[in-house]
Amino acid sequence: MTDAIADIIGDYRAFAAQQRDRLLSRGIDIAPYTLSHLAFRVPEWDQYVHVRTLLERHAVANRENVWNGRPISLIVPAEPLDVLDGKRVPLIELIPPVHQRVYKMGLEHLGVVVGSTFDAFVQAHKPVLTGQQFQGPNSTPDPVYILFEDFTHVKFYRLSLRESVEVDGGRLEDGFHHVDEWVPQQLVTATGPNPLRR
């Protein structure tokens, strides 16, 4: 049987298993936790629109919001993705450029919901956590993460990404809601494409 979502974003089951195994080697077992989402990054705006269109053919909703200077899609598949022997991923986060540092293109991170034990989890695993991502004034709280050598991540949340978004912006309704009149931005740095005057 073919998997239409895997045909678009790649082998998400293998990716989830890889991230789980990497966590186990660092002393973190995610078996007790639910999964929030999978994130997929693309390098070009045109590719983002193409992948968004393909994913929406197999989805019931997309809430696209502007975050960190560009739209990001939160896509709800018609059927949650089955991974890790029965866990389900209910959301795909599709992320286009531009960003402030190097990220892995393609399947980039797995979101894990730690729930009410978030603070104790952070305290217990501080030695292996890479950092905390500050996502704005309404984040509840900001997720912590582990960055791996291939620039992929696992992010740990108190609430799922969907729940966090719904706390701030209301229920994610069925249907496809895109940001209107957004024009792709060109990243300008001191080294190019338009160097700053000295």
Side-chain angles (χ1 to χ4, degrees), residues 136-156:
N138 298 318
S139 190
T140 56
D142 295 297
V144 294
Y145 63 90
I146 294 177
L147 169 66
F148 298 109
E149 300 77 17
D150 61 353
F151 295 102
T152 64
H153 297 73
V154 174
K155 296 184 181 180
F156 303 94

Side-chain angles (χ1 to χ4, degrees), residues 53-118:
T53 300
L54 293 177
L55 287 173
E56 286 180 349
R57 292 177 184 166
H58 309 283
V60 295
N62 178 11
R63 178 187 288 175
E64 188 176 64
N65 293 307
V66 175
W67 188 81
N68 209 16
R70 79 274 197 230
I72 289 179
S73 282
L74 301 179
I75 297 171
V76 181
E79 294 293 330
L81 309 180
D82 288 318
V83 298
L84 305 178
D85 302 317
K87 287 195 178 293
R88 294 162 73 82
V89 177
L91 189 73
I92 299 169
E93 182 183 22
L94 178 62
I95 310 171
V98 186
H99 211 282
Q100 69 268 25
R101 67 177 179 83
V102 175
Y103 280 92
K104 167 90 171 174
M105 294 299 117
L107 285 163
E108 186 271 323
H109 74 256
L110 175 67
V112 177
V113 183
V114 177
S116 61
T117 63
F118 181 86

Side-chain angles (χ1 to χ4, degrees), residues 26-28 33 117-129:
R26 288 161 172 80
I28 299 175
Y33 306 124
T117 63
F118 181 86
D119 296 328
F121 176 91
V122 170
Q123 199 60 38
H125 297 293
K126 258 188 186 175
V128 297
L129 295 175

Side-chain angles (χ1 to χ4, degrees), residues 174-190:
D174 284 358
F176 305 104
H177 308 281
H178 300 151
V179 173
D180 293 325
E181 300 179 12
W182 188 84
V183 178
Q185 305 298 304
Q186 184 174 23
L187 181 64
V188 178
T189 69

